[in-house]
Amino acid sequence: MTPAHQTDRLAELVCSNTFKSVEPTHAHGLLKAEMRLLGSIVLQAADEARIPGGSALAVDRVVFSKGLEARVLGHGNITIVRGEVTDLPSPGIIATGPLTSDALANAIAARLGVQSLAFFDAIAPIVSADSLDYTRLFKASRYGKGGGDDYWNAPFTKEEYEAFVAALLAGEQYVPGHEFDKVSYFEGCLPVEEMGQRGIETLRFGPMKPIGLVDPKTGREPYAVVQLRQEDRAAQMWNLVGFQTRLKTGAQQQIFRLIPGLEQAEFLRFGSIHRNSYLNAPDALTPHLSSRDDPQLLFAGQLTGVEGYTESAATGMMAGINLARLLAGDEPLIPPPTTMLGALYRYLRETEPKRFQPMNANFGLMDPLANPPRDKFKKKEAMAERAMREMEQFAASVRSQAEACARPALSLRTASAEPTL
């Protein structure tokens, strides 16, 4: 039992009781549609426990947990062994989530390297390139370094800056509901609202400093500036540099849309700072999320650097598929990056390790369309249709090869705080 859990059942939902949208034009809805093609028992249990929640897949926590546990207990090839896991079994899957025990965390760090395991995340928001007003931004790198124009810059006047800081200080913040989620901040990684509390000028000498950036419209350095850094190869995702925050998501939308050029910003990932044990997957794991020295020691769930119930369950399902393949003498499989699940896997393997942060499902991760529609909804619709075609082919390949393999009995050692079966 972790400090967050109230029962001894599998797949207890300790935070929200929703798996987010089921609409395929929503990133989480598309991911769920792909998972259904792969036969997700997590979503089967969620469907049976569903309660009214609009377009969101909201569930009765107790019914969901009982239903999923019943599926596991009723499987003839699975034996549940309850107890603390302190070593790394191989073959096996480690899916312990954000509250990994000290003993197991030490074993992971010893095996993969202490630098590979983080214990809290400090995440800045990411916005969609399609939603930016480029007439209010300018391209430049500080002092012309790098390519000279690697960043989009949002310039502030004195009045705009002071209004922004005032809104930041008044914004509603996330208050940890558990003692374990309280974070001691590092001076080099403070929330922007914490920096704002230290004085009106603090942000102008921190992440909003204008030094070395000349606005071509004025020929001068702005009073303050927010820099946007490219997050993906296709330049569909832009990170608000240094804007890690504990503001609630509604407050982030309201306040960060005060930034010039971000008035209509679509947030692909919201900022956060919270307790979260996770691996630096690009540095420590293989493309199918195993230890580099043992392809049959796999990792899954939030521990791999994905965010959210659905993303965690999806990686758990792929870990199970791939471990079964490896035990049968086959190579592991990964969905193509034109699918939401495949795009998440690509993020986990190709992101620059020193910039790696946990990520949730979003359309900015996926390969862009060759000829995208101008309408944003139609663009997502076309990307979802392509993803489903690709996932249908991938799922058919998985099923055909699985039918040719004998199913070995499994011993399930429960040290997971996530629904990753």
Side-chain angles (χ1 to χ4, degrees):
M1 294 278 288
T2 73
H5 286 78
Q6 303 298 314
T7 76
D8 62 354
R9 287 192 296 271
L10 303 180
E12 179 184 341
L13 301 180
V14 299
C15 295
S16 169
N17 71 322
T18 175
F19 286 81
K20 299 186 178 179
S21 177
V22 296
E23 297 178 351
T25 51
H26 187 286
H28 290 89
L30 176 57
L31 181 59
K32 281 192 279 293
E34 294 176 1
M35 292 170 64
R36 292 184 195 281
L37 291 175
L38 291 168
S40 169
I41 68 167
V42 170
L43 292 182
Q44 292 170 20
D47 288 338
E48 293 175 6
R50 189 170 185 177
I51 59 177
S55 63
L57 179 52
V59 301
D60 179 304
R61 297 171 191 267
V62 175
V63 175
F64 169 75
S65 181
K66 284 184 175 179
L68 191 49
E69 182 167 283
R71 280 173 164 79
V72 175
L73 288 171
H75 196 292
N77 288 339
I78 298 177
T79 300
I80 296 180
V81 180
R82 296 184 182 274
E84 183 180 3
V85 176
T86 59
D87 57 1
L88 303 181
S90 178
I93 300 170
I94 307 298
T96 45
L99 297 177
T100 301
S101 70
D102 290 343
L104 186 56
N106 290 337
I108 294 171
R111 179 67 171 269
L112 302 182
V114 68
Q115 76 286 349
S116 297
L117 186 62
F119 294 96
F120 80 99
D121 54 33
I123 295 174
I126 291 176
V127 294
S128 169
D130 290 345
S131 65
L132 302 177
D133 180 359
Y134 294 100
T135 65
R136 304 203 63 189
L137 308 174
F138 67 93
K139 254 310 192 54
S141 299
R142 204 176 300 278
Y143 300 114
K145 293 182 178 180
D149 60 352
D150 295 338
Y151 295 79
W152 281 110
N153 298 276
F156 286 73
T157 64
K158 185 175 186 290
E159 293 75 19
E160 288 171 334
Y161 172 79
E162 291 177 349
F164 177 76
V165 173
L168 195 63
L169 297 184
E172 187 177 6
Q173 296 185 32
Y174 165 73
V175 178
H178 302 280
E179 186 67 28
F180 64 79
D181 199 28
K182 293 181 179 178
V183 173
S184 298
Y185 303 131
F186 296 128
E187 281 298 313
C189 198
L190 293 171
V192 287
E193 58 273 12
E194 174 70 18
M195 286 186 271
Q197 290 281 3
R198 297 186 175 189
I200 188 67
E201 293 291 290
T202 303
L203 285 166
R204 264 199 348 119
F205 288 88
M208 297 181 70
K209 62 179 178 290
I211 305 300
L213 295 167
V214 176
D215 186 346
K217 293 180 181 177
T218 64
R220 302 189 305 273
E221 291 180 352
Y223 187 79
V225 68
V226 170
Q227 289 199 294
L228 306 180
R229 182 181 61 223
Q230 185 173 331
E231 192 72 20
D232 66 313
R233 291 177 299 178
Q236 300 178 109
M237 306 162 62
W238 291 83
N239 182 304
L240 276 65
V241 178
F243 267 61
Q244 56 274 358
T245 179
R246 293 203 87 160
L247 290 172
K248 290 188 173 181
T249 56
Q252 290 186 48
Q253 288 180 306
Q254 179 183 1
I255 296 166
F256 294 154
R257 283 175 177 159
L258 297 175
I259 298 172
L262 274 67
E263 292 83 358
Q264 303 297 322
E266 176 189 356
F267 289 83
L268 300 176
R269 180 184 76 185
F270 288 101
S272 68
I273 299 180
H274 58 75
R275 165 75 185 269
N276 183 16
S277 301
Y278 69 95
L279 294 165
N280 189 324
D283 183 57
L285 303 180
T286 67
H288 71 280
L289 303 184
S290 78
S291 168
R292 292 190 181 278
D293 64 354
D294 184 352
Q296 294 186 8
L297 173 58
L298 284 80
F299 294 83
Q302 201 159 319
L303 187 61
T304 65
V306 297
E307 283 276 358
Y309 292 153
T310 310
E311 293 89 335
S312 296
T315 58
M317 182 167 51
M318 283 306 305
I321 289 170
N322 280 326
L323 183 54
R325 291 180 57 81
L326 288 162
L327 291 172
D330 296 323
E331 291 296 314
L333 293 176
I334 301 171
T338 47
T339 65
M340 188 61 70
L341 181 52
L344 272 170
Y345 266 77
R346 180 172 65 184
Y347 176 82
L348 296 177
R349 71 175 179 267
E350 293 187 7
T351 301
E352 187 179 352
K354 67 180 181 180
R355 288 174 48 189
F356 181 75
Q357 291 281 5
M359 181 64 72
N360 54 267
N362 68 80
F363 280 95
L365 295 173
M366 299 172 69
D367 276 354
L369 297 166
N371 298 293
R374 294 179 63 86
D375 181 85
K376 291 181 182 178
F377 179 81
K378 290 182 178 178
K379 177 183 175 181
K380 289 181 178 178
E381 196 172 46
M383 294 178 77
E385 290 172 355
R386 180 187 63 179
M388 291 302 288
R389 289 194 303 270
E390 296 281 345
M391 184 55 78
E392 284 174 357
Q393 295 176 15
F394 179 79
S397 174
V398 170
R399 284 194 298 270
S400 64
Q401 295 182 44
E403 290 168 358
C405 299
R407 294 184 177 180
L410 298 177
S411 174
L412 177 63
R413 300 167 70 188
T414 59
S416 175
E418 307 170 68
T420 54
L421 292 169

